[in-house]
Amino acid sequence: MSNTPRDGSAFILTGIAEGKRNTTTGIKQSVDDSRIQDLLGAWLEPIPSVEYYEHHIDDKVIGVYEIHPVQSRGPFYRRRDLNGAKNELCGEFLKRDLLYFRRSTKNDHARPSDKPFIVDWFSSTQEARWQDWGEFKESSYHFDSRRHFILISSSFSHIDQSTLRPFANIGWSAVIDFDCDSDETGLLKAVSDAEYQRNIIRSVKGEYSSFSSPRETYWFFARGMSARDRTRPRTDDFRTWRAFYGSEINRQLEHIAGMLPPAPVTFVVIWNDDERARYLRYTLESTGVIEDANYVVVSDNAEALQAKVDDDYETVFLQLPIAHLSSGIQVEFSRQSAERVEYTLPSDSGTPILLPSAKIYWLQSQLDVVHLGLGALSVASDKGNDGESDFLTGGTVTWRELDLGKDATRNLTANITRVLRQELRNRGTSRVEICHIPGAGGTTIARRTLWDLHEEYPSVVVQSGDVRGIVERVEFIGAQTRQTVLALVDSADISEREIEDLQKLLQSRNSGCVLLSVSRSNSLPRQTRRRFALESRLSQSELPRFIDKFIAAVPDRTAEIRQLGSNNNRKAQTAFFFGLTAYGKDFKGLESYINSRITALSQVQLRLLAFLCIAYKYGQRGIAPQTFRNLLGVWSWIIMVLFPMSKRTNYGTDTSPSRHNDRGNPPSYTE
């Protein structure tokens, strides 16, 4: 049911006689909701949002399983490794790595025609979730120092301390902490170890210490402290806690309100404990003693939490994993302190994720990571640099040059970007190809699309052919950002077979990666939805862009560049010839352009080409094709015409008089 597209919650009822309408049999034994969560975690990946509760009907108890429609997760699969857990409810008919859903009144596995529909339903909230980080900053007023900020937090005992330390960047006026071990393994320890700038005043039930904001933070343990048994309720359930702490929460909030200087208040709630949602609801209901306040709730399961809390306040609920929120806070405060944070990638929540420094060299050994810091680096490196672009002289376009718009846009770029964005939203593994004539600019288009998308999706350039090593790194980035990874693979660096092996391994492991491959050929394949064929010849709408770019770079060659753009020789109107016309002998792309066209030639063809080059180099003239009849084994009475190399016909016959010059000699063509 979790995989079945729907508008509301789905329900499973127990204690109802099967096949008999309105017959209530009741359940024999109650089920602990925590047991349900443990089983779901052992069986499924990711974990769906399922809530269990019971109702009384005719003196009988029925069990209700409510499956919330949380589209920000999923699709849901059975785990590959059940770690020996007994298959208590799944049954043998459920196979791992198969996608199951509800087809009408029965359970069924999704067929190829069903999967796009299910995936589209899960991804339909992606655009909305992209706004969460930006909305968090707006709702928290960018942590303006003129406001008071009160944190309400659940237990973070399962989260690494390094993830929690960035919260020390924020000057909290007070903290309502529901973690009994916060001072030993939780948020309080992490903040203290991070050299928090405020003095922390600890408080438990019955203690109402004075504090002075902004120099001090009042830290109240809302469920007591493990080290102080008398502050803990006898049992760990909501009713016992409310009886023990209900009035205490109100008194503590009244105390905090009385100690704070007049200023607006923002309650920031970070809550990942679905089982204790009622604790949060009760606490929020008690915050009415503090006036002029706004509320923002952050959770990795915000939709389900909002349904359970259902408060009357104008509360903003945001879907943000704690690791994303932590990384975003660290990056934001680092920018404010003028520190440059380089290796950050976009997450599915829009939060910039800071990659662990220990992993940078490991990633860069096989991938060129197109991180968010490259934009700042490009601006810094461009200061005081008015020199010519290496890219325009025939080099590979750099990220700095792309950021500065040094490239001229090809019409195909927008279509490729649109298809890539669709494939990335599908969150699967696929391949998009750019096939181009050598020198047409396929690599530039590929790098341009990567740059245009790198602020939305984590993007990398593959640098080696170690397939397994690449997959490990792609999966690491995907796990950090919870996004599909965009990877550029160039056939100049990796063979076609290695690219195919890489795609197969990514698909077999459900890694979530879109490959953008670039290949070169003197003949273009048929274009399809995921395969783009790039002609070297520029269209009439593309010509003005290239003319303007090269004139701006080499103004003293304006006349020659304009002539190339206006003459009738359409075949010469390519990116390569614009560069050659502008820079002449200084054009760096000439050698690779020629090499790509002669590598497949035979020894005879290479000898013929060498004679032509010598004649042109030292005599500034061509050679009549008939000169090569012995070399080519052609009868002397056949008139020969040598065609341009780009036509893949290196010699042939033609008896048409129209192809002779005024003197009656057959013409020669060299390129």
Side-chain angles (χ1 to χ4, degrees):
M1 287 185 176
S2 294
N3 285 332
T4 303
R6 62 198 186 280
D7 295 327
S9 294
F11 298 89
I12 299 175
L13 305 181
T14 58
I16 304 294
E18 184 177 358
K20 297 179 180 181
R21 298 184 62 183
N22 302 323
T23 302
T24 304
T25 60
I27 58 176
K28 297 180 180 179
Q29 185 178 0
S30 294
V31 179
D32 187 354
D33 183 68
S34 62
R35 172 60 176 161
I36 299 297
Q37 304 305 322
D38 290 341
L39 291 175
L40 290 174
W43 294 336
L44 304 176
E45 186 178 3
I47 304 174
S49 177
V50 180
E51 183 180 6
Y52 176 80
Y53 46 88
E54 297 174 350
H55 281 292
H56 292 267
I57 300 178
D58 299 332
D59 297 327
K60 293 183 174 62
V61 179
I62 65 169
V64 180
Y65 295 84
E66 182 176 358
I67 300 100
H68 297 283
V70 184
Q71 291 170 258
S72 54
R73 301 183 186 180
F76 302 95
Y77 293 86
R78 175 172 164 178
R79 291 173 64 96
R80 296 186 181 192
D81 183 7
L82 296 180
N83 297 323
K86 293 182 179 180
N87 209 2
E88 299 177 26
L89 295 178
C90 284
E92 292 302 326
F93 68 91
L94 286 181
K95 298 179 180 179
R96 58 190 178 192
D97 296 334
L98 280 182
L99 180 63
Y100 290 91
F101 76 120
R102 189 77 174 171
R103 190 190 301 277
S104 185
T105 59
K106 69 172 185 176
N107 300 321
D108 196 5
H109 66 83
R111 299 167 187 169
S113 58
D114 299 320
K115 288 184 179 181
F117 180 61
I118 296 173
V119 171
D120 286 345
W121 181 72
F122 276 110
S123 62
S124 62
T125 61
Q126 179 127 352
E127 291 300 320
R129 289 187 292 114
W130 253 103
Q131 304 303 318
D132 285 358
W133 170 244
E135 193 170 351
F136 172 77
K137 292 193 292 183
E138 292 293 331
S139 300
S140 60
Y141 293 89
H142 297 268
F143 291 98
D144 189 338
S145 60
R146 292 169 294 183
R147 300 180 67 88
H148 297 302
F149 293 93
I150 299 177
L151 173 65
I152 302 176
S153 64
S154 62
S155 173
F156 295 134
S157 58
H158 62 290
I159 296 177
D160 187 82
Q161 288 284 294
S162 62
T163 302
L164 299 175
R165 289 190 189 108
F167 289 99
N169 287 294
I170 300 171
W172 303 105
S173 297
V175 176
I176 311 297
D177 196 340
F178 281 81
D179 185 359
C180 300
D181 298 309
S182 184
D183 58 330
E184 296 293 335
T185 60
L187 181 62
L188 178 55
K189 176 175 174 53
V191 168
S192 301
D193 291 346
E195 299 181 359
Y196 189 51
Q197 297 300 310
R198 295 190 179 198
N199 183 39
I200 297 175
I201 306 297
R202 305 185 187 192
S203 177
V204 293
K205 183 179 180 180
E207 298 179 354
Y208 310 98
S209 303
S210 299
F211 68 99
S212 175
S213 180
R215 295 187 300 274
E216 295 176 319
T217 296
Y218 187 79
W219 203 290
F220 172 60
F221 289 83
R223 290 174 55 232
M225 298 178 66
S226 295
R228 300 173 66 175
D229 290 339
R230 293 184 180 181
T231 65
R232 298 286 306 277
R234 292 192 309 273
T235 58
D236 193 14
D237 61 85
F238 175 70
R239 289 183 181 179
T240 306
W241 174 84
R242 185 176 60 182
F244 195 71
Y245 266 99
S247 59
E248 180 68 17
I249 289 289
N250 284 281
R251 285 194 292 267
Q252 289 287 349
L253 286 169
E254 288 174 353
H255 173 66
I256 292 171
M259 296 299 298
L260 293 178
V265 175
T266 295
F267 281 93
V268 178
V269 180
I270 305 175
W271 201 271
N272 287 341
D273 191 347
D274 288 350
E275 295 180 12
R276 293 192 174 91
R278 286 190 289 179
Y279 294 66
L280 174 59
R281 178 175 179 174
Y282 186 89
T283 304
L284 290 176
E285 290 172 349
S286 303
T287 59
V289 298
I290 298 179
E291 300 179 352
D292 193 14
N294 74 301
Y295 301 80
V296 54
V297 178
V298 177
S299 173
D300 63 358
N301 196 4
E303 296 176 29
L305 182 62
Q306 184 174 8
K308 294 177 181 179
V309 173
D310 193 25
D311 66 296
D312 295 328
Y313 300 92
E314 293 183 0
T315 303
V316 178
F317 284 83
L318 301 175
Q319 182 87 11
L320 273 173
I322 183 68
H324 289 200
L325 179 63
S326 170
S327 178
I329 290 173
Q330 180 166 343
V331 171
E332 192 71 20
F333 279 88
S334 296
R335 288 172 178 168
Q336 292 177 11
S337 61
E339 295 179 11
R340 188 174 67 193
V341 179
E342 295 185 23
Y343 287 93
T344 55
L345 294 174
S347 66
D348 65 341
S349 61
T351 310
I353 297 299
L354 183 64
L355 294 176
S357 57
K359 292 289 186 180
I360 299 301
Y361 291 111
W362 175 70
L363 290 169
Q364 294 284 51
S365 65
Q366 295 190 23
L367 302 175
D368 179 11
V369 181
V370 190
H371 55 86
L372 297 176
L374 284 172
L377 290 174
S378 70
V379 174
S381 61
D382 191 59
K383 291 181 179 179
N385 181 12
D386 297 325
E388 65 183 20
S389 169
D390 290 337
F391 158 62
L392 292 179
T393 60
T396 300
V397 65
T398 64
W399 306 121
R400 179 177 71 88
E401 290 166 333
L402 289 168
D403 189 41
L404 298 174
K406 296 287 188 179
D407 59 322
T409 306
R410 297 294 300 268
N411 293 340
L412 208 58
T413 306
N415 291 335
I416 297 173
T417 304
R418 176 180 54 81
V419 170
L420 284 173
R421 188 176 277 114
Q422 291 173 349
E423 295 297 316
L424 288 162
R425 286 174 180 168
N426 290 338
R427 297 195 286 183
T429 297
S430 60
R431 178 180 177 183
V432 177
E433 301 178 65
I434 300 177
C435 308
H436 68 101
I437 301 293
T443 300
T444 301
I445 289 180
R447 292 174 72 89
R448 163 52 67 187
T449 56
L450 227 70
W451 183 256
D452 289 345
L453 292 170
H454 89 286
E455 293 184 349
E456 301 176 42
Y457 296 94
S459 304
V460 299
V461 180
V462 177
Q463 296 179 321
S464 75
D466 179 7
V467 172
R468 292 197 174 275
I470 294 168
V471 172
E472 289 176 0
R473 287 158 177 79
V474 166
E475 290 179 338
F476 173 80
I477 292 175
Q480 292 286 309
T481 62
R482 304 211 312 190
Q483 288 244 72
T484 306
V485 178
L486 175 59
L488 170 59
V489 287
D490 197 318
S491 61
D493 303 318
I494 302 176
S495 68
E496 177 61 28
R497 181 172 180 176
E498 289 172 330
I499 296 175
E500 292 176 354
D501 291 343
L502 176 60
Q503 183 180 3
K504 290 177 182 177
L505 187 57
L506 288 167
Q507 288 174 333
S508 67
R509 296 172 58 148
N510 295 320
S511 299
C513 178
V514 175
L515 297 175
L516 176 60
S517 65
V518 180
S519 61
R520 298 155 189 80
S521 175
N522 287 323
S523 61
L524 295 178
R526 182 176 61 88
Q527 186 160 303
T528 63
R529 180 183 174 276
R530 293 197 184 105
R531 180 186 295 134
F532 295 88
L534 179 64
E535 293 280 356
S536 58
R537 188 171 60 186
L538 302 175
S539 68
Q540 290 298 324
S541 61
E542 293 170 333
L543 275 174
R545 303 170 201 158
F546 279 78
I547 292 172
D548 292 344
K549 287 290 182 184
F550 281 99
I551 288 178
V554 194
D556 59 337
R557 300 286 293 174
T558 297
E560 292 81 356
I561 294 171
R562 290 195 182 280
Q563 182 181 3
L564 176 61
S566 61
N567 66 24
N568 295 325
N569 187 7
R570 291 283 292 124
K571 291 196 303 180
Q573 292 174 345
T574 67
F576 168 79
F577 278 112
F578 270 104
L580 188 61
T581 301
Y583 293 101
K585 293 181 179 179
D586 295 328
F587 185 60
K588 301 173 184 177
L590 182 60
E591 183 175 346
S592 61
Y593 183 87
I594 293 176
N595 285 336
S596 65
R597 283 159 170 75
I598 67 175
T599 52
L601 296 183
S602 66
Q603 290 298 318
V604 172
Q605 292 167 333
L606 287 172
R607 287 185 64 192
L608 185 151
L609 184 60
F611 282 124
L612 291 174
C613 292
I614 291 172
Y616 185 79
K617 170 75 174 177
Y618 297 104
Q620 296 297 308
R621 59 181 298 176
I623 303 176
Q626 296 297 112
T627 307
F628 302 106
R629 65 177 184 274
N630 291 332
L631 179 63
L632 299 175
V634 178
W635 293 101
S636 59
W637 51 270
I638 296 178
I639 299 176
M640 298 171 49
V641 175
L642 301 182
F643 290 96
M645 298 298 295
S646 60
K647 286 196 173 184
R648 302 187 71 214
T649 305
N650 299 302
Y651 64 93
T653 62
D654 189 357
T655 57
S656 171
S658 63
R659 297 186 63 88
H660 292 198
N661 60 20
D662 293 339
R663 298 182 180 180
N665 296 321
S668 296
Y669 297 92
T670 60
E671 189 173 280

